[in-house]
Amino acid sequence: MWSSLIAATGGRLSGVVSALLPGFLPAAVAPARHERIKSCVGALLGLFLTEWLCRQALGAFNPWFIAPMGASAVLLFAVPSSPLAQPWSIIGGNLVSAVVGVACARWIPDPGLAAACAVSLAIAAMFALRCVHPPGGAVAVTAVFGGAAVTKLGFAFAVFPVAVNSMLMLVVALIFNNAMRRRYPHRPHEQGNIHRTADPMPADRIGFNRADLDAVLEARGEFLDIDPEDLEDILVAAELRAYRRRFGEVRVADIMSRDVVAIDADRRIGEAWKLLSTHRLQSLPVISRAHGRLVGIVTLADLVTTQRGGTGLLRDGIVRDVMMTRVPVALPDQPMVELARSLLEQGLHHMPVVDERHSLIGMVTQSDLIGALIRARVEG
């Protein structure tokens, strides 16, 4: 009886362990090799320079350097895009944790209880101040168990060495990460309706959008160590990749207009008016007569604005004086889905197509894209 009971209990326990064990093994973190090398070199330089500078500046001051800086280095140099690694996170997180830790060490007699309260209250303070930084927990514990030197410093411990260490580490991280062409501090992409209306951009009206993402994150109720803007970018890129897999064979050259109506930059504005009216166009690519390369674009809106503005150009002016010279362009081998995203995000209705010499070879419009998508849908 006992043997069967033990066997049954052992079987259940084995099943529970088997079910839980995969959760203890995290998914593999596989950044590119060069990123791993950058992380290691950055941590080496960051810790060495911070310790050396603090030792030179503070001299015999003890302690001049604290162990939690090692944990800060992991965030600042290995995952600099994490919300936990941003400048306010390291400065505010370490500073507030030090203050909380010193306060708990002074007012709670039992060291173990003081350390536990220090970390708990530090987490609450970091959430409230939007500066969650995991090494802050180690700073709070250091304030309690740091020994006589830390006890003697009292609240000054938050300034020397915590704030000094944190600021110097941050300076090294700013220099190193930007030298390595990492975006640090990590700034979210600014995306919005370029027309300054309440409607989302066309590309965001179908499929998931930021409101959907925020609702799902709120429903999960978990703290994710990734910026919501970055998560949105990743999901959009994945969605674009899926579309590319479906329409990947369709290139800009397959859908563009090749018989393009264009105008020379040195022609009269009156000629541009005539071409736009005759061909019922909204815009004209502008080319250079000397080499045939695209040098700008003139739109019907530009000409109307010029005429109403009374600039003196009117119809006798030169196209070169009213054209836009910064023109987004497409390449003939560019996938159609990439072009569609660019047009929608920038609020454009047309885009010139150029070759490697920047010579005008075609024009693609939203109508061309719609026609291609409808045909692909019908044929698919």
Side-chain angles (χ1 to χ4, degrees), residues 108-321:
I108 301 177
D110 181 80
L113 180 60
C117 290
V119 175
S120 176
L121 293 173
I123 292 173
M126 287 189 287
F127 269 123
L129 297 173
R130 299 177 60 185
C131 58
V132 176
H133 188 62
V139 172
V141 172
T142 302
V144 176
F145 291 117
V150 174
T151 302
K152 182 179 179 181
L153 286 172
F155 287 105
F157 171 72
V159 180
F160 301 103
V162 173
V164 174
N165 286 180
S166 300
M167 286 188 288
L168 288 175
M169 182 77 76
L170 175 60
V171 169
V172 176
L174 286 167
I175 296 173
F176 179 84
N177 285 325
N178 284 283
M180 294 294 105
R181 297 184 177 180
R182 290 170 160 180
R183 193 157 52 104
Y184 187 80
H186 193 67
R187 295 172 294 275
H189 298 292
E190 294 184 5
Q191 296 179 348
N193 192 327
I194 62 173
H195 302 298
R196 298 181 182 179
T197 62
D199 291 324
M201 290 297 289
D204 299 325
R205 294 175 193 169
I206 297 179
F208 86 91
N209 55 35
R210 179 58 187 275
D212 297 326
L213 179 60
D214 290 341
V216 171
L217 292 176
E218 183 177 357
R220 286 177 63 94
E222 298 179 69
F223 179 80
L224 298 182
D225 186 12
I226 183 171
D227 190 88
E229 283 80 8
D230 291 334
L231 181 58
E232 183 181 16
D233 288 343
I234 291 170
L235 292 175
V236 168
E239 189 176 43
L240 186 60
R241 186 180 180 88
Y243 278 114
R244 189 182 296 120
R245 187 170 60 250
R246 183 175 180 184
F247 302 108
E249 299 300 323
V250 183
R251 305 286 172 175
V252 169
D254 300 325
I255 64 172
M256 71 182 186
S257 302
R258 299 176 183 272
D259 184 17
V260 183
V261 179
I263 191 168
D264 186 271
D266 295 319
R267 294 290 186 179
R268 298 286 183 185
I269 291 178
E271 295 182 50
W273 275 109
K274 185 176 180 180
L275 286 173
L276 289 168
S277 176
T278 301
H279 296 279
R280 301 176 66 182
L281 300 173
Q282 297 294 317
S283 65
L284 284 174
V286 182
I287 59 175
S288 170
R289 182 185 304 172
H291 42 64
R293 294 179 184 173
L294 181 73
V295 294
I297 194 168
V298 61
T299 68
L300 183 61
D302 295 329
L303 298 185
V304 171
T305 301
T306 299
Q307 187 172 27
R308 288 179 177 176
T311 59
L313 295 173
L314 299 178
R315 294 178 179 269
D316 293 329
I318 304 299
V319 170
R320 184 185 302 277
D321 297 328

Side-chain angles (χ1 to χ4, degrees), residues 23-58:
F24 288 92
L25 186 65
V29 179
R33 183 179 180 182
H34 65 275
E35 283 298 320
R36 284 179 277 175
I37 294 174
K38 288 178 184 177
S39 300
C40 296
V41 173
L44 173 69
L45 292 175
L47 289 169
F48 174 76
L49 290 174
T50 300
E51 188 278 334
W52 184 82
L53 288 170
C54 286
R55 181 154 36 94
Q56 300 303 312
L58 302 178

